[in-house]
Amino acid sequence: MAELTQPAVVLSTLDLTPHVRQLVLRPLQQKILFQPGQWVSLKLPVGDKPPLNRAYSMADPSSPYGELTLVFDRIPEGVGSSYLYRLKSGDEVPISGPYGNFVLPMPLDRELLFIARYTGLVPIRCLLKQLAEAHTSTPVLLIAVAPSEDELLFHQELLTLAVQSPSFRYLPLVIPGGEAEAIERTLAMLRPLVEGQPKVIPMISVTKGFVRPLRTGLMEFGYDRKEVKTETFD
Ligand SMILES: Cc1cc2nc3c(=O)[nH]c(=O)nc-3n(C[C@H](O)[C@H](O)[C@H](O)COP(=O)(O)OP(=O)(O)OC[C@H]3O[C@@H](n4cnc5c(N)ncnc54)[C@H](O)[C@@H]3O)c2cc1C
């Protein structure tokens, strides 16, 4: 059955970094019940053939009131993200969902390895919150790549989590160069962490250009393709 498309009202907007914004929405007809790691589809009244469908992952787990926290960066000349940047409290946007299967695998019998570049961290942040709420003792390693220090998303929160939770390790990586450099340096960091080590559960999120070479790298380090869970934004 097709998911209901319904209006959602913008409750708040907040700039998290110079180029990343948070939008809190509340669906007006019925709650969207979702699992952390899933996403919703926004139908935007822009582009050559509106509506323009754009997917955004939830950054926070379900709330009792049904609000959805979305976090996105403004893509240069990006039609959808530029429109979202213009939304204000009280505006409405059609939404449907939830969709996707970038959810925690069960059982969690191995260490989790999350790798994200920039806003690829959004679904992973939701998964981290789920793990924290469940007080799970599963060890977690997060490698978060950002283009600059001030674009490290959720940085303070993740540092605090790393201090408070002995099972969580946070490795922020600032790589100002392009995608090729981000891939090369992330793989260089990854190699000693996984090669010859007990197997972990790898989950990687952002654009295909980053996710695919990282998955290939993990396969060279001994992982089966199916063992690497991915979410791609394009
Ligand atoms: C399952 C899923 C979940 C997503 N979750 C999020 C999210 O939580 N936060 C978020 O910011 N975006 C998310 N996206 C991406 C989002 O749907 C849009 O594609 C993005 O905002 C760009 O749309 P646009 O219309 O502004 O750009 P467009 O006009 O469509 O231009 C996109 C161009 O920018 C490139 N590009 C560079 N960086 C990105 C990027 N991060 N995402 C997509 N394309 C990129 C693409 O390769 C493409 O060439 C998700 C996408 C999918 C499929």
Side-chain angles (χ1 to χ4, degrees):
M1 198 173 74
E3 304 290 333
L4 167 77
T5 296
Q6 57 177 319
V9 63
V10 176
L11 297 180
S12 65
T13 65
L14 176 70
D15 287 325
L16 300 184
T17 75
H19 297 287
V20 176
R21 181 165 285 194
Q22 171 181 287
L23 208 56
V24 179
L25 303 174
R26 192 179 67 235
L28 290 174
Q29 290 174 5
Q30 66 181 47
K31 277 187 200 168
I32 293 182
L33 301 172
F34 66 92
Q35 288 180 266
Q38 289 193 299
W39 49 276
V40 285
S41 175
L42 271 50
K43 286 106 190 24
L44 309 175
V46 284
D48 296 338
K49 287 191 212 146
L52 180 77
N53 290 306
R54 286 290 178 265
Y56 293 93
S57 310
M58 271 62 80
D60 272 319
S62 292
S63 92
Y65 302 105
E67 307 98 335
L68 304 171
T69 306
L70 309 183
V71 170
F72 54 93
D73 60 313
R74 192 203 292 255
I75 305 286
E77 296 176 42
V79 187
S81 56
S82 298
Y83 175 79
L84 291 182
Y85 253 85
R86 295 197 291 274
L87 289 178
K88 303 178 300 303
S89 296
D91 288 345
E92 290 185 14
V93 59
I95 191 171
S96 69
Y99 307 102
N101 55 13
F102 191 68
V103 297
L104 288 178
M106 289 296 163
L108 281 177
D109 50 5
R110 294 190 230 160
E111 177 171 1
L112 279 161
L113 168 64
F114 291 130
I115 307 172
R117 184 167 183 227
Y118 207 21
T119 44
L121 188 53
V122 176
I124 289 174
R125 193 263 194 151
C126 199
L127 296 173
L128 288 170
K129 287 207 150 195
Q130 177 188 19
L131 289 165
E133 283 171 13
H135 300 291
T136 163
S137 57
T138 304
V140 178
L141 170 61
L142 166 66
I143 299 177
V145 182
S148 60
E149 202 125 341
D150 61 358
E151 292 293 331
L152 275 169
L153 262 186
F154 311 116
H155 185 51
Q156 208 49 52
E157 172 185 313
L158 294 167
L159 286 175
T160 305
L161 187 63
V163 169
Q164 290 174 346
S165 165
S167 59
F168 176 62
R169 286 185 293 157
Y170 171 45
L171 295 179
L173 199 53
V174 173
I175 305 177
E179 194 164 65
E181 192 183 342
I183 294 163
E184 191 186 317
R185 289 192 44 202
T186 309
L187 280 171
M189 177 183 255
L190 202 54
R191 179 184 286 275
L193 294 168
V194 295
E195 206 174 31
Q197 301 295 323
K199 278 207 170 166
V200 297
I201 304 173
M203 296 182 74
I204 316 174
S205 164
V206 79
T207 46
K208 289 183 189 125
F210 183 80
V211 167
R212 288 179 174 169
L214 262 288
R215 180 173 59 195
T216 304
L218 281 160
M219 287 162 66
E220 281 164 15
F221 301 151
Y223 283 78
D224 194 73
R225 188 187 170 86
K226 283 196 194 128
E227 288 179 303
V228 185
K229 227 171 150 66
T230 61
E231 182 69 292
T232 48
F233 279 11
D234 55 349

